[in-house]
Amino acid sequence: MPEKTQDPFSIPRLPRSWGGLIAKAVATLMLLWCLIGAVYWFVIRVEVNAGEILVLINKTGDTLPESLQAQYGDQVILYPELVRAVAADDGESEEDVRNGYKGIRHEVLSEGRYFPNPYFYKAVKLKATSIAQNEMGVLIRKFGKALAFPKTVATEPDERGPVAEILRPGRHNINLLAYEVQKFPAVQIPEGHAGVVTLLSGKDPTTRNTFTVEPGEKGVQRETLPPGLEYYNPYLKHIEVVDVRSQKYDMVNHDAIHFPSNDSFTITIEGTIEWAIRPDRVAEVTVAFGDSEDILNKIILPNVRGIARIQGSKLQAREFISGKTRTAFQEKLLSELQRECWQQGIDIKAALVRDIQPPVEIAGLIGQREQADQEIERSKNQMAEAQAEAKLVEQRELQEQNKAVGDARRKVVTVTKEAEQRRIVAVTDARRQLEVSKLELEAAAKEASALRARGRADADVVLFNYQARAEPLANAVKAFGDGVTYAQQFFLQRVAPSINTILTNTEGPFAEIFKQLQTFDRIPSQKGGSQ
């Protein structure tokens, strides 16, 4: 029998043993693939949820080179400055240094799904830092170089310690393995208050031994903060809230002022002082004297007591009962106290003497004398009131008279204005009528001129017509010699065509004429007989 030839397009069949091996290999590969996927999904996979961050720690790699250990020390945070220095020392790229050295990575990863190799990396999930509305955060850097004296905050990116910049309210992705976050409440400066700022770190003052310094210099700043919510770094500055509103202090009981009068009697004065710190010297007063109680005890009370004693010792005891003397004493006390305290940064708004207590032994006598003086003063006041009333009546009558004169003048002005207005209206009407008459006259003249021109044109037309008719007639008369000859010729021309008809017609009026002529010839004359 002939051998069967194999179809070149048919798929060759493998032995049964080979098919089983391939199936096992495929199954093994699929199982291995599923095992790898399960490891990646259930072991390596890291899910970073909302409000979390991921920090990677390099578990393998080199350590910090000895050439840089003296400068950077035993650093475990791979922060950018360190990575840059190592890359420059080794001649590698920053990414190679970041992946090839042991330590905590500085950068963080936000929410998402990651598959870090657990052999090379350790994945640490941390909570994102959240700062409340009335809070501020300060970063404490755990890596970098130590701060140089006398700095209190880190102003360079590779300095260790409190960072000058603060974290404001909100969410911040902070690597808590590299930083510590300290939270502080924000300072609320109410209305009527100011914030005195003390800079804890900065340039040394150019002018020493002063209460305040220039902006940017270390010390108490001359400029204060206005009312509002203030966020600041407590390691960099300190803020003290100072009340700059008006304040009152009552000098009564044990705080009353006691001093001897000019005649050696003890006078007791009770009063009220209203004061406030000058807005332009809040910082200086706060540093120099302290709070409100210190200002009272160190500035206001010593000055008011001293001035009251100096001015009061110039007067006798009886003069303190008189109202005029008390007023003058209070005004003098206020002016002197304002002058002294203004120079020290305090604004004295009022110094009111509420009560003056003279000695008991003379109070009665002085009171009686004062009462008599008051009666005299009252009588003078009554006389002055009567004179003022009379003057008021006189002024009232004068006002009535002036009012009547004013009314009459207004009426005259009104009548004059009305007459003037009527005159103006009449003149305006007359002028308007004159203008109208002028216009009508001009129109009539123009119309007459037009009529004359039209009549002259009509006359010329008639004349031209008659001339046109007369000129041929004149030529005909001139041809016949005179007008009679031309008339006879014209008559004969008109009559000649009708002569035959007239003569041949025996009817009509013309024929009757000839008949009568014939009859007349036949009738004999009645007078003379027959002809």
Side-chain angles (χ1 to χ4, degrees):
M1 296 179 60
E3 295 183 357
K4 294 183 179 180
T5 59
Q6 187 176 1
D7 188 358
F9 298 101
S10 63
I11 298 175
R13 294 183 179 180
L14 298 176
R16 294 181 179 272
S17 59
W18 285 26
L21 292 175
I22 292 175
K24 289 180 180 181
V26 171
T28 302
L29 290 175
M30 292 181 63
L31 180 61
L32 182 59
W33 181 258
C34 293
L35 182 60
I36 293 173
V39 169
Y40 263 88
W41 187 260
F42 294 103
V43 178
I44 299 178
R45 178 175 61 95
V46 177
E47 294 284 349
V48 181
N49 302 318
E52 294 180 341
I53 59 174
L54 183 66
V55 178
L56 297 180
I57 302 175
N58 294 344
K59 298 166 61 177
T60 61
D62 298 332
T63 58
L64 192 66
E66 295 182 358
S67 59
L68 298 176
Q69 288 183 2
Q71 182 179 0
Y72 290 92
D74 187 14
Q75 301 288 341
V76 295
I77 307 297
L78 299 175
Y79 58 95
E81 287 71 21
L82 177 61
V83 171
R84 193 174 301 114
V86 174
D89 185 74
D90 291 349
E92 299 178 354
S93 65
E94 295 183 10
E95 186 64 25
D96 293 338
V97 174
R98 196 175 290 110
N99 295 325
Y101 279 80
K102 295 180 181 180
I104 302 172
R105 291 202 173 197
H106 182 266
E107 64 275 4
V108 297
L109 301 176
S110 59
E111 294 92 344
R113 180 177 298 160
Y114 303 95
F115 298 92
N117 191 328
Y119 178 77
F120 297 105
Y121 305 105
K122 178 182 178 181
V124 179
K125 289 198 299 183
L126 302 172
K127 290 289 185 181
T129 302
S130 179
I131 306 298
Q133 182 63 33
N134 296 328
E135 290 183 340
M136 54 193 171
V138 177
L139 288 177
I140 308 298
R141 190 177 291 149
K142 300 178 181 180
F143 58 86
K145 303 174 184 178
L147 290 177
F149 181 82
K151 294 181 67 174
T152 59
V153 294
T155 57
E156 299 297 331
D158 60 344
E159 289 182 337
R160 185 186 308 170
V163 180
E165 292 80 10
I166 62 172
L167 301 178
R168 292 188 172 271
R171 172 183 166 168
H172 303 273
N173 293 337
I174 304 299
N175 187 345
L176 297 180
L177 299 180
Y179 297 92
E180 177 187 352
V181 178
Q182 295 182 358
K183 298 180 182 180
F184 299 91
V187 173
Q188 177 67 48
I189 303 177
E191 290 292 333
H193 293 71
V196 177
V197 180
T198 302
L199 200 61
L200 304 178
S201 179
K203 300 180 295 183
D204 291 333
T206 54
T207 304
R208 298 183 179 275
N209 300 323
T210 57
F211 292 113
T212 58
V213 297
E214 298 297 328
E217 294 180 349
K218 184 167 54 177
V220 179
Q221 303 297 300
R222 186 174 294 109
E223 297 294 330
T224 58
L225 298 176
L229 191 62
E230 189 68 24
Y231 299 95
Y232 71 101
N233 190 336
Y235 293 96
L236 181 61
K237 63 178 68 173
H238 172 71
I239 298 178
E240 182 178 356
V241 179
V242 179
D243 192 350
V244 295
R245 297 173 298 180
S246 295
Q247 303 185 40
K248 291 183 179 181
Y249 180 75
D250 295 326
M251 297 181 298
V252 296
N253 300 328
H254 64 280
D255 290 331
I257 303 173
H258 307 278
F259 59 89
S261 64
N262 192 25
D263 49 2
S264 301
F265 288 99
T266 301
I267 306 298
T268 302
I269 294 180
E270 293 182 351
T272 300
I273 304 297
E274 183 179 358
W275 62 277
I277 303 176
R278 286 175 53 181
D280 58 332
R281 297 183 62 180
V282 175
E284 181 180 350
V285 171
T286 303
V287 176
F289 302 105
D291 57 11
S292 300
E293 186 175 354
D294 294 329
I295 293 172
L296 278 171
N297 295 328
K298 296 178 182 179
I299 300 178
I300 298 177
L301 293 181
N303 280 290
V304 72
R305 289 193 179 102
I307 295 172
R309 287 168 181 164
I310 293 173
Q311 297 299 328
S313 63
K314 299 177 182 179
L315 304 174
Q316 296 183 357
R318 60 184 177 84
E319 293 179 315
F320 285 97
I321 300 179
S322 174
K324 293 182 179 180
T325 306
R326 290 179 59 176
T327 303
F329 174 78
Q330 177 176 295
E331 292 176 353
K332 189 67 175 178
L333 175 64
L334 175 60
S335 61
E336 291 291 331
L337 186 61
Q338 284 180 335
R339 183 176 59 83
E340 292 293 334
C341 293
W342 182 263
Q343 297 175 358
Q344 295 176 314
I346 305 300
D347 182 14
I348 302 297
K349 300 182 179 298
L352 176 63
V353 177
R354 299 168 54 182
D355 187 23
I356 298 179
Q357 301 174 5
V360 179
E361 54 269 28
I362 65 171
L365 296 176
I366 297 176
Q368 292 176 4
R369 182 177 177 179
E370 184 67 23
Q371 186 175 2
D373 292 340
Q374 291 178 359
E375 288 294 335
I376 295 173
E377 190 69 25
R378 188 180 299 109
S379 299
K380 292 181 179 179
N381 291 336
Q382 289 177 355
M383 293 175 61
E385 288 178 1
Q387 293 176 357
E389 184 67 25
K391 190 173 182 180
L392 182 61
V393 172
E394 181 182 357
Q395 291 178 354
R396 193 176 298 144
E397 292 296 331
L398 184 60
Q399 288 178 357
E400 293 293 335
Q401 181 180 357
N402 292 335
K403 182 179 179 182
V405 173
D407 292 340
R409 288 179 178 177
R410 280 195 296 273
K411 289 181 180 179
V412 171
V413 171
T414 302
V415 172
T416 304
K417 289 292 183 181
E418 291 179 353
E420 183 68 19
Q421 291 177 355
R422 287 196 296 270
R423 184 186 68 80
I424 293 173
V425 172
V427 170
T428 303
D429 291 340
R431 288 177 178 175
R432 185 167 57 253
Q433 291 177 2
L434 177 61
E435 294 296 331
V436 172
S437 300
K438 289 181 178 179
L439 294 175
E440 291 179 351
L441 179 61
E442 291 179 1
K446 292 180 179 180
E447 185 176 1
S449 177
L451 289 174
R452 286 196 299 271
R454 195 162 46 246
R456 190 178 298 108
D458 294 341
D460 291 340
V461 170
V462 173
L463 178 62
F464 290 155
N465 288 334
Y466 280 112
Q467 287 178 354
R469 294 169 58 186
E471 186 175 357
L473 182 62
N475 294 330
V477 170
K478 187 177 181 180
F480 282 96
D482 57 6
V484 175
T485 306
Y486 175 74
Q488 291 176 355
Q489 176 64 23
F490 182 77
F491 176 76
L492 293 175
Q493 286 179 351
R494 296 290 184 184
V495 171
S498 303
I499 290 297
N500 293 329
T501 305
I502 293 173
L503 295 178
T504 56
N505 190 3
T506 59
E507 300 295 333
F510 195 75
E512 290 294 329
I513 295 174
F514 287 100
K515 288 179 180 182
Q516 291 178 2
L517 291 176
Q518 293 176 1
T519 305
F520 180 76
D521 292 335
R522 294 189 190 104
I523 297 175
S525 174
Q526 294 179 0
K527 296 180 177 182
S530 61
Q531 299 291 329

